[in-house]
């Protein structure tokens, strides 16, 4: 058995272990008590709303997917890189990305009610249960990625050989990315339209608390937490993980052609095998998560994250010393150092994002203080924190690029990105913890559970808000590294057809491309923000109508029509997601095919750079606004109902689409631009060679 077959078997086994773990924990979780009948009714409404939205969303996306599948399949008649295998890869990537989203949502909407019930027992058991529930999503995302790539490569290799399967992998990556950008946008528009609509009429106009059952949009708000932060994030990071591994494989194949067959194969397989080992280190890391008190919840989650990183560093050392010894012009230690850079970068981004978004540090406290002087000063402070939050992550990413390139060239950057994404299982587990605890708090409030239970769920939810921000920072940072690797592959492939081409900024074509590429994330973010505004407006009108026309809502004797709000926000978000989703495809077509490969290369770089800054400022700034509001709600500056609280609610309303719609959706948008461009390289060479 050769090294390729052994690696594929290991990848398949690792993927199956992750899937089996996820199924086992799900079965264990479902055995727990769901609580009272009222809790079950609320949880059922959330489940039905989330399932209905995802079904309609993926039916809409399926139409686009079928058209793209047909174009790639038919394109094989004229372009050898297209055809049945690339089209099949596209289909498999799209299906697995969809599955990752579905499974993430399925688990979250069942763990929420059980977390609320377990909260009767205190913080420690509630934390352990909620985190284990989140780990199902994390390990499933990691496992499906490793399993899907391994199975596809094994089948493709047997049919077409190494060159054929490498060419077709870009189809798999494009399938993941296309679904991801729709999932991120659709889920993000839904969750923030419902949230903003509920807050504007419920909190601001009617003066009722968050998650109050009298608010007609409260169920839609709870549904949104799942379709955005669970299904959307799962599809997003599944895509980031898969695309990073595939980009590393493509780069290795094009960069190490001068090596012998065995050495070339090892450079191709190494990034995938790192992901396989990460399955086992992530499962071990889950058992390190624990917190005895409310004040140490975040430290308890970080124990699991950093334990996974340390164990991974040890495992990667021994594996790299064995597997990569004598491969290429670099030592095994050089490859290991590159992998270590990715792990360290993950830790740095987590710590930096925590600093800018946690209630414990000065950035959030400064926004809370600014709220005491009004709505305008709150907005100014939030924008300032968001913009300042870009500096340290970008510096960390820049030094990581420099170090990993120093150790192993452009391939070193690919290894760092792959190593960083190998932490995806644990990071997604921490992220999914957020919406599970948010929903648990909502169910506790609507079911009128005791104040002790609500205090426990509030403590978990406050931490969950920061963990969601941390995950977004991680996803964006890793996306930037992955996109740089994809640009390197674009450059390699173009130079095969046009050997004398240059992407120097002294070329006016490249400069034009840089400006055009930097423009795309801004247009994309603008359309996403407008989409939230339109959909939220529909909810505001409906909630006002119900308060006016349904007697007894405010007194608690009349029942709001929750289903109408769910239906309205579902239709609005699906309608509004279409236009921004086509921006990352329209850009390369409109400018690249008409202006040439040098302009297109500039577009790729411009999109990466501006997209990174826009995404980080939006996600960190939005989370800081949210946590400033939560800080005031704990009693600071007058607490709930004070003028400072009203200003903080306004800031949070602005920050919501920043942190949960436009900002996170830029992550897959950056990679769609790059992947789609690599996919159409054969067409570019025909037109411009």
């Amino acid at each position: 058995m050769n090294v390729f077959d052994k690696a594929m078997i290991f990848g398949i086994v690792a993927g199956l272990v992750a899937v089996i773990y996820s199924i086992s924990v799900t079965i264990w979780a479902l055995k727990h008590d769901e609580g009272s009948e009222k809790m079950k009714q609320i949880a059922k409404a959330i489940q039905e709303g989330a399932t209905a939205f995802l079904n309609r969303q993926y039916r809409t996306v399926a139409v686009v997917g079928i058209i793209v599948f047909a174009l790639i399949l038919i394109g094989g008649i004229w372009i050898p890189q297209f055809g049945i295998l690339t089209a099949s890869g596209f289909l498999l990537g799209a299906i697995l990305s969809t599955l990752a989203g579905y499974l993430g949502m399925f688990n979250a909407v069942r763990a929420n009610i059980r977390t609320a019930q377990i909260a009767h027992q205190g913080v420690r058991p509630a934390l352990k249960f909620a985190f284990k529930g989140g780990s199902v999503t994390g390990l499933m995302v990691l496992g499906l990625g490793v399993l899907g790539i391994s199975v596809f490569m094994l089948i493709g290799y047997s049919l077409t050989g190494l060159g054929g399967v490498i060419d077709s992998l870009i189809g798999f990556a494009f399938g993941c990315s296309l679904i991801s950008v729709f999932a991120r946008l659709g889920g993000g528009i839904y969750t923030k339209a419902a949230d903003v609509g509920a807050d504007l009429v419920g909190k601001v106009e009617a003066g009722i608390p968050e998650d109050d059952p009298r608010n007609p949009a409260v169920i839609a708000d709870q549904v949104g937490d799942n379709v955005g932060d669970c299904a959307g994030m799962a599809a997003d990071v599944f895509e980031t993980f898969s695309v990073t591994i595939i980009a590393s494989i493509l780069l290795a194949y094009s960069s190490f052609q001068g090596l012998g067959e065995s050495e070339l194969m090892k450079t191709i397989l190494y990034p995938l095998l790192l992901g396989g080992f990460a399955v086992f280190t992530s499962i071990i890391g889950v058992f390190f998560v624990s917190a005895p008190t409310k004040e140490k919840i975040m430290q308890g989650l970080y124990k699991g994250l950093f334990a996974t990183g340390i164990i991974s560093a040890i495992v990667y050392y021994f594996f790299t010393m064995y597997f990569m010894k004598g491969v290429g012009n670099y030592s095994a230690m050089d490859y290991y150092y590159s992998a270590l850079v990715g792990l360290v970068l993950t830790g740095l981004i987590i710590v930096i994002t925590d600093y800018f978004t946690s209630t414990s540090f000065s950035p959030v406290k400064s926004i809370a203080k600014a709220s005491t002087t009004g709505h305008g000063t709150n907005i100014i402070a939030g924008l300032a924190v968001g913009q300042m939050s870009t500096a340290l992550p970008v510096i960390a990413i820049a030094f990581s690029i420099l170090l990993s390139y120093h150790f192993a060239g452009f391939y070193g950057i690919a290894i760092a990105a792959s190593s960083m994404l190998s932490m995806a299982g644990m990071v997604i587990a921490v992220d999914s913890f957020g919406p599970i605890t948010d929903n648990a708090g909502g169910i506790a409030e609507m079911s009128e559970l005791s104040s002790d239970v609500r205090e426990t769920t509030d403590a978990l939810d406050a931490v969950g808000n920061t963990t969601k921000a941390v995950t977004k920072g991680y996803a964006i940072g890793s996306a930037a590294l992955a996109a740089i690797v994809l640009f390197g592959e674009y450059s390699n492939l173009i130079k095969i057809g046009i050997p004398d081409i240059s992407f120097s900024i002294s070329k006016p074509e490249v400069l034009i491309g840089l400006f055009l590429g930097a423009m795309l994330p801004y247009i994309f973010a603008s359309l996403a923000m407008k989409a939230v505004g339109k959909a939220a407006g529909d909810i505001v009108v409906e909630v006002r109508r119900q308060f006016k026309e349904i007697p007894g809502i405010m007194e608690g004797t009349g029942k709001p029509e929750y289903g109408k709000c769910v239906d309205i926000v579902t239709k609005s978000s699906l309608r509004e997601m279409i236009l921004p989703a086509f921006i990352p495809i329209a850009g390369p077509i409109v400018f690249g095919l008409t202006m040439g490969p040098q302009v297109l290369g500039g577009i790729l770089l411009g999109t990466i750079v501006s997209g990174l800054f826009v995404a980080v400022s939006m996600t960190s700034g939005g989370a800081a606004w949210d946590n400033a509001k939560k800080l005031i709600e704990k009693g600071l500056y007058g607490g709930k109902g004070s003028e400072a609280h009203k200003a903080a609610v306004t800031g949070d309303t602005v920050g919501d689409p920043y942190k949960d719609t436009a900002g996170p959706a830029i992550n897959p948008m950056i990679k769609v631009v790059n992947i789609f461009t690599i996919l159409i390289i054969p067409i570019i060479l025909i037109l411009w060679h």
Side-chain angles (χ1 to χ4, degrees):
M1 188 180 291
N2 60 33
V3 65
F4 180 85
D5 292 333
K6 289 178 181 177
M8 293 305 101
I9 290 171
F10 174 76
I12 291 169
V13 169
L16 289 174
V17 166
V19 172
I20 292 167
Y21 166 87
S22 299
I23 293 171
S24 301
V25 173
T26 300
I27 293 170
W28 166 81
L30 291 175
K31 292 178 181 178
H32 285 71
D33 184 20
E34 293 181 85
S36 67
E37 196 59 39
K38 190 172 184 180
M39 291 171 67
K40 291 177 185 176
Q41 290 174 1
I42 295 165
K44 186 180 179 183
I46 295 170
Q47 290 173 23
E48 289 175 352
T51 303
F53 172 78
L54 283 193
N55 287 342
R56 289 168 72 167
Q57 181 185 48
Y58 285 128
R59 280 201 299 270
T60 303
V61 177
V63 176
V64 179
I66 290 168
I67 293 170
V68 174
F69 173 81
L71 289 173
I72 296 174
L73 185 63
I74 296 168
I77 298 171
W78 301 280
I79 301 171
Q81 292 90 335
F82 288 7
I84 183 63
L85 192 58
T86 303
S88 299
F90 170 82
L91 188 62
L92 180 61
I95 290 171
L96 290 177
S97 185
T98 302
L99 189 59
Y102 257 114
L103 293 173
M105 182 275 298
F106 176 90
N107 174 67
V109 296
R110 285 158 181 81
N112 53 13
I113 182 173
R114 292 167 174 85
T115 301
Q117 181 63 15
I118 292 171
H120 284 95
Q121 303 170 28
V123 168
R124 189 167 186 168
L127 167 64
K128 281 212 162 193
F129 181 86
F131 182 77
K132 270 203 168 182
S135 74
V136 170
T137 307
L139 268 296
M140 191 65 82
V141 164
L142 193 60
L144 287 177
V146 174
L147 182 63
I149 295 172
S150 299
V151 168
F152 182 74
M153 287 187 69
L154 186 63
I155 295 172
Y157 184 73
S158 66
L159 294 174
T160 63
L162 186 60
V165 73
I166 295 294
D167 285 341
S168 60
L169 272 173
I170 197 64
F172 186 103
F174 187 53
C176 297
S177 293
L178 191 66
I179 296 299
S180 172
V181 76
F182 278 108
R184 254 305 184 194
L185 272 172
I189 293 167
Y190 185 110
T191 183
K192 289 305 106 180
D195 195 359
V196 170
D199 283 355
L200 285 176
V201 185
K203 284 186 185 177
V204 178
E205 294 182 10
I208 58 178
E210 190 171 1
D211 299 328
D212 193 298
R214 293 173 292 178
N215 193 328
V218 71
I219 296 295
D221 188 10
Q222 299 296 317
V223 169
D225 291 330
N226 295 290
V227 299
D229 285 321
C230 277
M233 176 57 82
D236 180 0
V237 177
F238 171 82
E239 176 260 355
T240 303
F241 174 76
S242 300
V243 166
T244 301
I245 299 299
I246 289 170
S248 302
I249 291 171
L250 295 174
L251 186 74
Y253 182 72
S254 62
S255 300
F256 293 105
Q257 283 294 315
L259 299 181
E261 184 179 347
S262 176
E263 291 184 29
L264 174 63
M265 195 68 79
K266 285 185 176 183
T267 62
I268 290 168
L269 297 173
Y270 180 62
L272 177 61
L273 294 175
L274 291 180
F277 280 110
V279 168
F280 302 99
T281 59
S282 297
I283 291 173
I284 295 169
V286 169
F287 295 96
F288 281 84
V289 173
S290 178
T293 64
K294 285 184 285 190
E295 292 73 27
K296 295 187 177 180
I297 295 172
M298 183 61 84
Q299 292 94 313
L301 294 171
Y302 280 171
K303 275 197 298 185
L305 270 170
F306 289 114
T308 302
I310 292 167
I311 296 167
S312 296
I314 295 168
V315 171
Y316 291 172
Y317 172 79
F318 289 104
F319 167 64
T320 305
M321 292 301 103
Y322 164 75
F323 192 75
M324 298 299 284
K325 186 177 181 181
V327 174
N329 297 323
Y330 305 101
S331 69
M333 204 65 193
D334 288 330
Y335 296 122
Y336 173 69
Y337 283 145
S338 298
L340 204 58
V341 166
L343 293 176
V344 172
L345 179 59
T346 299
L348 286 173
I349 286 182
I350 288 171
V351 171
I352 292 166
T353 308
D354 184 36
Y355 172 75
F356 280 100
T357 58
S358 171
T359 55
S360 302
F361 302 107
S362 60
V364 170
K365 289 178 180 178
S366 70
I367 299 174
K369 186 177 181 181
S371 303
T372 61
T373 51
H375 300 255
T377 47
N378 170 281
I379 299 297
I380 292 168
L383 289 172
V385 167
Q387 290 168 357
M388 183 59 72
S389 70
T390 62
L392 291 178
V394 168
I395 290 170
I397 291 168
F399 274 100
S400 298
I401 292 169
L402 190 65
L403 281 172
S404 54
Y405 186 87
H406 169 75
F407 290 128
F410 227 98
Y411 183 64
I413 301 174
I415 293 172
S418 300
S419 174
M420 188 177 182
L421 263 300
S422 70
M423 291 287 290
M426 275 299 290
V427 175
I428 285 293
V430 170
D431 176 80
S432 296
F433 167 85
I436 288 171
T437 55
D438 192 343
N439 267 199
I443 291 169
E445 176 78 23
M446 288 183 278
S447 304
E448 299 176 339
L449 299 183
S450 69
S451 58
D452 289 344
V453 172
R454 188 60 177 152
E455 281 180 19
T456 297
T457 57
D458 280 350
L460 294 170
D461 181 28
V463 171
N465 191 55
T466 301
T467 64
K468 287 185 285 186
V470 163
T471 306
K472 293 181 183 87
Y474 163 83
I476 293 159
S478 59
L481 283 186
I484 289 167
V485 175
L486 286 166
F487 171 76
E489 178 60 9
Y490 169 79
S491 175
N492 286 346
L493 293 175
I494 286 292
K495 286 179 180 178
I496 292 172
I498 311 174
D500 59 343
I501 195 169
S502 168
F503 293 103
S504 167
I505 59 170
S506 64
K507 301 284 184 181
E509 294 88 352
V510 177
L511 279 174
I512 291 169
L514 284 170
F515 281 105
L516 293 173
M519 171 188 73
L520 294 179
Y522 284 94
I523 295 175
F524 180 86
S526 171
L527 291 172
M529 293 284 286
K530 282 184 178 180
V532 172
K534 288 179 183 178
D538 293 340
I539 288 295
V540 167
V541 171
E542 175 59 21
V543 174
R544 284 174 178 166
R545 182 196 70 78
Q546 291 196 33
F547 277 141
K548 184 179 179 181
E549 297 180 6
I550 299 175
I553 286 184
M554 292 303 292
E555 294 77 19
T557 57
K559 186 177 180 182
E561 296 174 345
Y562 301 119
K564 283 201 172 181
C565 287
V566 172
D567 188 57
I568 286 171
V569 77
T570 297
K571 289 177 180 176
S572 297
S573 57
L574 293 178
R575 181 181 66 246
E576 299 296 337
M577 76 177 182
I578 300 297
L579 181 58
F582 280 107
I583 291 295
I585 294 175
I589 290 175
V590 172
F591 300 118
L593 294 183
T594 59
M595 302 178 75
Q598 287 179 308
V599 171
L600 193 47
I603 285 173
L604 300 186
L605 288 173
T607 302
I608 294 167
V609 173
S610 78
L612 175 62
F613 280 92
V614 173
V616 172
S617 66
M618 283 185 157
T619 53
S620 293
W625 260 315
D626 193 351
N627 271 344
K629 178 199 69 176
K630 284 183 167 57
L631 197 60
I632 292 172
E633 287 175 346
K634 288 180 180 178
L636 195 67
Y637 303 126
K640 289 184 179 181
S642 65
E643 291 303 313
H645 183 241
K646 291 176 183 177
V649 170
T650 299
D652 181 37
T653 304
V654 175
D656 271 341
Y658 258 50
K659 70 181 174 65
D660 288 326
T661 307
I666 288 174
N667 170 22
M669 178 261 178
I670 292 170
K671 295 192 297 300
V672 170
V673 170
N674 282 268
I675 291 164
F676 181 69
T677 298
I678 292 176
L679 186 68
I680 62 173
I681 279 177
I683 301 172
I684 296 168
L685 291 176
I686 290 170
L687 293 174
W688 290 89
H689 187 251

